[in-house]
Amino acid sequence: METTLRPYDLGSTQWYVLWHLATNGPTAQRDLVRLLDLERATLSGIVAALVRKGLVDQSAGGKDQRQRTLQLTEAGKTLWSDLPDLHFIHDAAFGDIDPADLAIAIRVLQTATGRLHDLLGKGNNE
């Protein structure tokens, strides 16, 4: 993934933020922390880089001016449409694995991740 994105000056986590905004539209930055399971400081650095590159607009939203809403800029939308399809990664990793086995693996990993988040006090309270 990194090799494929390098010519576009993007890292995989930057791609993940762009993917979310391209797929779901404008999103509150605080919500992305939870949705993408990133640390707040990590996301802040990624967003700052995407804003600096002119790919994402960060604007104050609603009543609380401290809260930021993120959305793709026109340059971000253009870049997103130019990026190569990365489904080949999924296909290479999971292409011949039985869907039922994948569902079990996903359920086990989600349960384990949830338990670890709870242990660290990062449950759904964030």
Side-chain angles (χ1 to χ4, degrees), residues 5-78:
L5 294 173
R6 190 171 295 121
Y8 299 91
D9 191 29
L10 288 177
S12 58
T13 310
Q14 290 177 342
W15 178 90
Y16 198 24
V17 170
L18 294 177
W19 170 84
H20 180 82
L21 295 175
T23 303
N24 299 298
T27 305
Q29 186 167 331
R30 71 175 181 277
D31 293 343
L32 279 182
V33 169
R34 180 182 46 80
L35 292 168
L36 304 182
D37 196 24
L38 296 170
E39 295 293 328
R40 192 177 320 259
T42 300
L43 181 62
S44 292
I46 290 164
V47 167
L50 293 171
V51 168
R52 200 171 36 254
K53 292 176 184 183
L55 302 174
V56 170
D57 178 54
Q58 183 184 49
S59 59
K63 298 173 187 172
D64 187 348
Q65 294 297 303
R66 295 171 298 168
Q67 297 301 324
R68 302 289 180 209
T69 298
L70 306 175
Q71 65 182 9
L72 292 179
T73 62
E74 287 305 315
K77 291 174 187 176
T78 299

Side-chain angles (χ1 to χ4, degrees), residues 103-122:
I104 291 169
I106 289 168
R107 189 172 60 250
V108 167
L109 291 172
Q110 285 175 332
T111 299
T113 301
R115 289 176 179 175
L116 291 173
H117 279 184
D118 289 344
L119 179 68
L120 295 172
K122 292 182 171 182

